[in-house]
Amino acid sequence: MEQAKSIEYKGKVIDFPYEKPEEKDIPLEHLHQKMANPSTGRTKRIKDRLRYKHTAVGEFCEEGIRGGMERMRYYTEAYKASEGQPEVIRRALSVANILNKCTVLMQEDEFIVGYNAENPNFVPLYPELSHFTVMDYMQSKYSPQPVEEAQEIVDFWSKNSLLARGMGYYTQEELLRQFIFTTMEAPAFASGFNSIVPPYETVQEDGLLKRIELAEAHIKEAIEQLAAPYWVASERMPLFDKIDVWRSMIIIDKAVIAWARRYSRLCKILAENFEADPKRKEELLEMADINHRIPAEPCKGLKDGMQAKWYTYLMCHAIERYASGYAQKEDKLLWPLYKASVIDKTFQPMTHQQAVELFELERLKVSEHGAGKARLFREVFPGSNDLFILAVGGTNGDNSDGCNDCTDAILQAAINIRTPEPSIVFRWHPKGRLKTKRLVFECIRDGMGFPSIMHDVKGTNQLIYLSKFSKTGNGVTPEEAHDWANVLCMSPGHVGRRKSQKVRTEGAGTIYVAKTFEITLNNGFDWSYANIQSGPETGKLTDLKTFEDLWEAFRQQYLYAIDMVNRGKDLSRHLEIRFMQMPFVSSIDDGCMELGMDANELSEQPNPWTNSIGGIVTVNSLVAMKKLIYDDKKYTLEQLDEALHSNWVGFEEMHKDFLNAPKFGNDDEYADAIAKRYYEEICAGEMKKIFNYSGGPMMPVGQAVGTNVEMGSRTGPTPDGRFGGEAHDDGGISPYYGTDKKGPTAVLRSVAKINSEGQKANLLNQRLSQPQMRSKHGFNIWLAYMNTWFDLDIDHVQFNVVSTEEMKDAQREPEKHGDLIVRIAGYSARFVDINTYQQNTIISRTEQDFGAEDLEYLGVDL
Amino acid sequence: MSTCSKCKSFFAVPADADDYAEGKGDCVREEKDEKGKFWLSKPVMENGTCEFFKEKN
């Protein structure tokens, strides 16, 4: 590999020799295939045989994946049989029936056990959420079998699913505008897509037997209260519902314990009847012991903690209902158990290296997980099996450094095993120890695309701000506000025994801004994709005589879409409260347990956000129109209208002018002023006028996930010079591909002009020079960049450090590049798993070199 | 009669188990595909029958 070009800096010539000199002999296009270093033979073997369930363009990347039947069958069977019982009890009985009757399974070499389907190649389906999704699977090669049984199940849920219950609250026109998925994401009741932050802490610290005892005590107390003299209806009537909720908790927690103990029995049966290797036999017996105690009892060591966490994950994200995400502050959650096992050696004693292996095993378990998502969600997260993002670092409640040896074990495991999931968020704070920051750098430098970095102080302050809107007056305390992770890719949310986010209808839901802007230019009509009126009539383009006319038309379209999205979210929540209760989640939340309330209903800490995606295409379009039409008057609105409807064909000179108009990300005052106005006045400004179920003001999250390509294909040509169908920008605040030409610190300066307080989060993708980052100066430069980023009050940044040569080689010979990982937006993926179009957007990101001016700005001492 | 109780894959659920029921067992079968071996365990009753029956030794 060639080293980075020398530069002159502060009167010296700075060379960039590789930090590891042997790398100069490695061909550039093969670098990442040589990096994986699993810490044991076992983790290497599992990685070599992983059953990936990654998806792209709506399909599973590997053969043999299928929708499972068992979850649908047993859920539906018990739901039908429990007719007449309170709905929350029906939910508990239905999920318990799955756990009691499902197949449990285990693979070779596994240590962490637990699956969500009856076969390691299957994914579970959720007809009670959206029977449309099951129908989609049935029309594909992934159809659950026997198909006749699946059809019967669909027929039943076509009248009873969340989807069936939600549609009646809209006009046909409104439904079409949402289901077509162009300016806005379809409502949660239609997709069944969900997000949750499970209170892992209570399972780990209490165990489920203790949770059952608590529910029983509450029921006893409530029954005594009902029988006490002087009936007062207003005080006592609510107790009937509460008793049902507590009863549902007991039903489900008992079923979870019994389910885990079936795994325990399987381990024992395998040890005694199937396994010949004495070492593995001994391990299977240890696993039998762990799975008998866990999650029934409190965890005592790190192995216990890992198993409890996985069962809790499966219940909250895959079995009780589907939910995306892997939200947890893992190094804080597991620190007491790491300490017990690795430092104090009081239970399950192990070395730090053995702990690293356990975290490698966790990564492998997550990599194999499959989600029965609808086709569209298999399209918009290309290369992923689902969104898995955990958080580490930051600060503790007493403001001390949150990094510890457990943080380092988590990062080391990621470096060793090289799997794209789970992705990691590192909460950056000046107090963060250098040793850990060095590991963060190594992950990034080695091309993993994670950790993504979030501003620790901003995230904590945001939780404190939102707590003021708590409906119960019991939002997070300033101390608790330090306990947060990203709920999905980007948005901070509280983690802990209570007050965490339980439903996506609290936060998320999406408006696609570039498409919204496109219809603004066409009086609300979508001419390029759906051929329908997608928004209100806000005036023909030729009638928008001033820039302020254009601005106002766009504002109205934006408002229409965010209002519709948030109505859909709260309608979905209204239905979830009545028909999609979560007895397990409720049982492990201290608030739900204390108050006898379902997790859908109880809101203590508001965490409202709506994704606002495609802002930079819009900003650059507004900039080009202001410059070339309204200010310089070089072109007319009529000409632009014609050029856009011709996809710029026949308007080549004009296209060149619009393409060359100022672009965001170059520290250009003209462009950045419009960006600032858009993000503060429309994006945050309009959003904060909306208040959702939790009582909090809505905040925007800018992130693309993988929708930049999918939604780009549904968006016609735009005045920034995009052709119809080309990708949107790939982040909330990332400059458009290849348009940030003034270096990495110019990007920071542009981004810093926007007040980040109004944004819940705003994704910044950057691609850094691989030779510079792998040089002996790489860490120093990156550290200075990060410190500057922090001081500029920017809330997020993430990096690709992969060469164009290697990505192009992987396009030619994908079979040789299974370990090449890239950052999409909010998550990472194996490059070979994503579609060519998406690959090309990654390649076309500007590869930022740090020049002398950048180094000067960062104050790097080389 | 080839019932589950006589099958090699049948393991009776212990009487102290949470999910104990008279005649209930775990049917544990080993399977293998190109990604390796795995074991499936499914609750069955001792008088049940299935296509995978293999007599106990």
Side-chain angles (χ1 to χ4, degrees):
Chain A
M1 296 192 299
E2 275 186 41
Q3 65 183 49
K5 282 182 188 153
S6 305
I7 57 171
E8 216 176 291
Y9 177 55
K10 290 187 176 173
K12 287 192 291 186
V13 174
I14 307 293
D15 296 324
F16 292 92
Y18 281 101
E19 186 175 35
K20 298 176 184 174
E22 66 276 15
E23 287 189 357
K24 69 177 176 15
D25 299 323
I26 298 175
L28 187 58
E29 61 273 24
H30 294 152
L31 179 66
H32 291 99
Q33 271 321 95
K34 298 183 183 302
M35 284 185 177
N37 186 22
S39 65
T40 62
R42 178 230 294 270
T43 53
K44 182 177 186 317
R45 285 194 300 276
I46 296 179
K47 189 180 176 197
D48 288 346
R49 66 112 186 99
L50 268 185
R51 299 169 192 271
Y52 287 118
K53 297 177 186 73
H54 296 151
T55 65
V57 290
E59 308 295 341
F60 288 97
C61 299
E62 297 207 355
E63 290 298 317
I65 312 294
R66 195 204 286 172
M69 178 59 82
E70 284 193 356
R71 189 190 176 284
M72 296 202 295
R73 175 186 297 151
Y74 298 132
Y75 186 92
T76 307
E77 176 185 86
Y79 190 80
K80 284 180 179 174
S82 58
E83 192 173 357
Q85 298 208 45
E87 201 64 27
V88 68
I89 300 288
R90 294 184 82 183
R91 279 279 293 158
L93 290 170
S94 303
V95 179
N97 199 45
I98 300 169
L99 299 174
N100 293 339
K101 294 185 177 172
C102 72
T103 302
V104 298
L105 66 98
M106 215 169 89
Q107 297 191 70
E108 281 178 291
D109 284 318
E110 280 195 317
F111 188 81
I112 306 163
V113 298
Y115 273 83
N116 56 4
E118 62 267 39
N119 182 293
N121 298 317
F122 289 7
V123 295
L125 297 173
Y126 308 85
E128 76 278 19
L129 290 170
S130 170
H131 57 283
F132 277 7
T133 300
V134 182
M135 290 163 71
D136 159 49
Y137 273 80
M138 288 169 64
Q139 289 164 12
S140 73
K141 62 182 174 181
Y142 317 124
S143 179
Q145 300 293 333
V147 73
E148 297 76 17
E149 185 183 355
Q151 186 59 55
E152 267 180 44
I153 290 170
V154 164
D155 289 345
F156 175 77
W157 289 107
S158 66
K159 298 179 195 73
N160 297 287
S161 69
L162 209 61
L163 168 60
R165 296 180 198 275
M167 290 200 289
Y169 296 92
Y170 290 98
T171 65
Q172 281 302 305
E173 184 185 50
E174 287 173 332
L175 282 177
L176 180 61
R177 286 176 180 181
Q178 294 175 90
F179 284 18
I180 204 83
F181 220 108
T182 51
T183 56
M184 53 193 130
E185 181 181 322
F189 69 76
S191 64
F193 196 76
N194 193 34
S195 318
I196 183 173
V197 183
Y200 289 107
E201 289 78 358
T202 56
V203 182
Q204 183 177 302
E205 293 164 10
D206 298 356
L208 295 184
L209 287 171
K210 171 77 176 170
R211 307 305 290 180
I212 292 168
E213 274 177 32
L214 287 170
E216 286 171 343
H218 282 300
I219 292 171
K220 183 170 177 284
E221 195 183 324
I223 286 176
E224 285 168 3
Q225 210 178 326
L226 285 171
Y230 300 113
W231 174 260
V232 181
S234 60
E235 286 174 13
R236 299 190 188 175
M237 291 286 279
L239 289 172
F240 298 132
D241 283 343
K242 289 175 188 289
I243 288 170
D244 288 339
V245 170
W246 286 313
R247 282 180 175 154
S248 74
M249 293 177 181
I250 294 168
I251 292 167
I252 198 66
D253 282 1
K254 283 184 175 174
V256 172
I257 291 170
W259 172 60
R261 286 179 175 169
R262 288 178 56 210
Y263 278 100
S264 166
R265 281 210 305 269
L266 176 58
C267 293
K268 190 160 182 286
I269 290 168
L270 294 182
E272 291 171 352
N273 299 276
F274 289 79
E275 188 56 61
D277 176 8
K279 203 174 156 203
R280 176 64 174 163
K281 194 178 276 201
E282 193 183 326
E283 186 173 69
L284 284 165
L285 291 173
E286 184 190 16
M287 291 160 68
D289 168 63
I290 291 171
N291 289 280
H292 187 79
R293 288 185 292 104
I294 302 300
E297 299 170 21
C299 299
K300 294 190 280 189
L302 191 58
K303 292 174 181 174
D304 286 359
M306 196 60 86
Q307 186 61 63
K309 190 155 73 75
W310 187 248
Y311 279 135
T312 308
Y313 168 80
L314 283 179
M315 282 305 300
C316 298
H317 287 263
I319 294 178
E320 188 159 74
R321 69 172 290 188
Y322 164 70
S324 191
Y326 201 51
Q328 55 190 287
K329 176 73 170 43
E330 190 173 38
D331 53 352
K332 180 170 185 192
L333 175 69
L334 293 180
W335 169 246
L337 302 173
Y338 175 94
K339 187 168 174 295
S341 291
V342 179
I343 299 172
D344 302 336
K345 303 201 188 293
T346 52
F347 198 77
Q348 294 167 344
M350 65 176 79
T351 62
H352 178 80
Q353 270 315 308
Q354 287 169 321
V356 170
E357 193 211 14
L358 199 52
F359 287 111
E360 288 177 29
L361 287 167
E362 179 192 21
R363 298 190 67 80
L364 295 165
K365 191 76 180 166
V366 168
S367 296
E368 269 194 323
H369 185 78
K373 290 181 296 188
R375 174 168 297 274
L376 193 93
F377 288 91
R378 302 199 303 269
E379 290 174 356
V380 296
F381 310 139
S384 81
N385 47 356
D386 210 352
L387 300 177
F388 291 94
I389 297 100
L390 61 86
V392 296
T395 46
N396 298 315
D398 61 1
N399 230 8
S400 61
D401 180 16
C403 300
N404 55 45
D405 289 352
C406 189
T407 323
D408 294 357
I410 293 164
L411 292 167
Q412 189 62 56
I415 293 168
N416 290 353
I417 201 73
R418 280 191 80 81
T419 57
E421 53 270 329
S423 183
I424 300 173
V425 171
F426 183 74
R427 289 169 40 189
W428 190 275
H429 192 282
K431 285 182 182 165
R433 64 189 194 181
L434 202 59
K435 182 183 165 193
T436 302
K437 285 177 176 168
R438 171 74 205 191
L439 284 170
V440 170
F441 168 73
E442 286 178 17
C443 272
I444 291 167
R445 178 202 65 188
D446 287 356
M448 238 91 75
F450 60 79
S452 61
I453 316 286
M454 296 285 288
H455 195 294
D456 187 63
V457 176
K458 292 184 72 64
T460 302
N461 288 344
Q462 183 186 96
L463 263 62
I464 294 171
Y465 163 72
L466 288 170
S467 73
K468 293 173 187 159
F469 299 93
S470 170
K471 286 200 297 193
T472 59
N474 193 29
V476 295
T477 63
E479 189 182 343
E480 289 169 339
H482 287 261
D483 296 332
W484 58 270
N486 284 15
V487 179
L488 276 174
C489 300
M490 289 292 296
S491 176
H494 178 60
V495 297
R497 294 179 61 101
R498 70 191 289 172
K499 309 179 191 181
S500 67
Q501 179 175 330
K502 305 300 189 311
V503 283
R504 182 174 170 84
T505 45
E506 170 64 31
T510 304
I511 164 178
Y512 298 99
V513 188
K515 184 71 190 178
T516 303
F517 186 73
E518 186 206 349
I519 68 163
T520 303
L521 303 182
N522 292 280
N523 202 12
F525 189 78
D526 178 2
W527 69 272
S528 64
Y529 178 75
N531 202 32
I532 62 167
Q533 185 72 27
S534 281
E537 293 186 10
T538 48
K540 290 179 185 168
L541 176 58
T542 48
D543 292 337
L544 305 176
K545 300 295 182 195
T546 67
F547 185 70
E548 293 310 312
D549 291 343
L550 171 66
W551 191 266
E552 176 57 19
F554 173 50
R555 189 193 65 78
Q556 285 181 34
Q557 294 290 351
Y558 191 94
L559 173 60
Y560 175 82
I562 56 173
D563 247 350
M564 184 77 85
V565 166
N566 281 290
R567 182 180 10 149
K569 283 158 61 177
D570 276 347
L571 168 60
S572 302
R573 191 160 190 171
H574 171 84
L575 299 169
E576 285 167 328
I577 289 167
R578 284 155 186 78
F579 302 105
M580 207 49 62
Q581 297 89 343
M582 297 189 287
F584 180 74
V585 175
S586 308
S587 80
I588 62 171
D589 180 90
D590 277 351
C592 296
M593 179 62 78
E594 179 190 322
L595 301 167
M597 285 175 77
D598 181 68
N600 288 287
E601 186 171 12
L602 178 61
S603 170
E604 297 193 284
Q605 167 72 16
N607 205 38
W609 89 81
T610 301
N611 299 322
S612 191
I613 294 177
I616 290 299
V617 164
T618 307
V619 163
N620 287 339
S621 294
L622 284 163
V623 170
M625 287 180 73
K626 184 168 193 307
K627 174 88 182 136
L628 294 166
I629 294 175
Y630 296 111
D631 287 358
D632 295 355
K633 302 192 188 319
K634 186 167 182 183
Y635 297 101
T636 64
L637 290 166
E638 286 77 5
Q639 285 173 303
L640 179 65
D641 196 33
E642 204 182 337
L644 292 176
H645 282 81
S646 308
N647 200 19
W648 300 107
V649 174
F651 296 83
E652 283 71 22
E653 280 305 306
M654 185 178 172
H655 179 241
K656 206 181 285 177
D657 281 342
F658 277 78
L659 206 54
N660 291 334
K663 297 283 187 277
F664 175 75
N666 294 291
D667 195 20
D668 178 294
E669 283 306 322
Y670 190 90
D672 296 352
I674 291 174
K676 181 176 172 62
R677 188 178 170 197
Y678 160 70
Y679 280 103
E680 295 178 10
E681 194 177 308
I682 290 189
C683 187
E686 288 301 307
M687 201 97 65
K688 73 181 180 190
K689 297 172 189 166
I690 289 172
F691 290 82
N692 78 347
Y693 173 87
S694 70
M698 194 52 57
M699 297 179 80
V701 168
Q703 61 179 331
V705 212
T707 62
N708 52 325
V709 166
E710 180 61 34
M711 302 316 291
S713 72
R714 299 173 188 214
T715 305
T718 40
D720 57 341
R722 257 185 77 260
F723 287 109
E726 284 189 335
H728 292 169
D729 49 287
D730 63 7
I733 195 73
S734 307
Y736 196 75
Y737 319 94
T739 63
D740 42 343
K741 296 176 175 170
K742 296 283 174 65
T745 59
V747 174
L748 290 184
R749 284 193 290 274
S750 280
V751 174
K753 288 171 193 166
I754 293 152
N755 178 6
S756 54
E757 293 301 316
Q759 315 286 322
K760 196 153 195 318
N762 219 350
L763 188 149
L764 175 61
N765 259 322
Q766 285 290 276
R767 185 176 165 205
L768 302 181
S769 154
Q770 181 175 277
Q772 279 192 340
M773 286 301 105
R774 299 198 73 78
S775 77
K776 70 173 189 176
H777 301 303
F779 181 57
N780 278 348
I781 294 172
W782 178 80
L783 191 63
Y785 176 96
M786 286 313 309
N787 288 332
T788 302
W789 166 91
F790 184 88
D791 293 342
L792 288 171
D793 221 21
I794 300 171
D795 74 322
H796 173 273
V797 67
Q798 61 186 22
F799 306 97
N800 264 314
V801 186
V802 179
S803 71
T804 296
E805 289 82 351
E806 192 165 359
M807 290 190 275
K808 288 195 169 170
D809 198 65
Q811 288 185 319
R812 286 188 293 271
E813 296 185 286
E815 67 283 357
K816 292 184 179 171
H817 291 273
D819 268 354
L820 179 61
I821 294 171
V822 289
R823 193 69 178 171
I824 310 292
Y827 68 96
S828 294
R830 299 199 311 160
F831 186 76
V832 297
D833 281 344
I834 60 178
N835 42 309
T836 308
Y837 196 167
Q838 195 91 36
Q839 289 175 340
N840 289 340
T841 66
I842 310 279
I843 292 170
S844 64
R845 287 177 187 166
T846 304
E847 190 174 359
Q848 301 282 11
D849 275 303
F850 289 87
E853 277 181 28
D854 296 304
L855 299 178
E856 189 109 29
Y857 180 74
L858 299 175
V860 187
D861 196 16
L862 297 178
Chain B
M1 175 95 172
S2 307
T3 56
C4 288
S5 62
K6 292 176 184 160
C7 178
K8 194 178 166 177
S9 304
F10 183 83
F11 298 87
V13 173
D16 60 351
D18 307 80
D19 58 338
Y20 172 78
E22 200 174 333
K24 190 176 180 184
D26 294 320
C27 169
V28 178
R29 290 191 299 111
E30 181 176 301
E31 292 207 0
K32 191 176 181 184
D33 63 14
E34 68 277 10
K35 298 275 190 184
K37 277 195 259 185
F38 55 95
W39 295 268
L40 307 172
S41 171
K42 190 155 175 54
V44 291
M45 298 308 288
E46 63 184 5
N47 56 358
T49 56
C50 87
E51 58 185 306
F52 300 108
F53 179 82
K54 272 189 183 170
E55 193 155 6
K56 271 182 188 156
N57 294 327

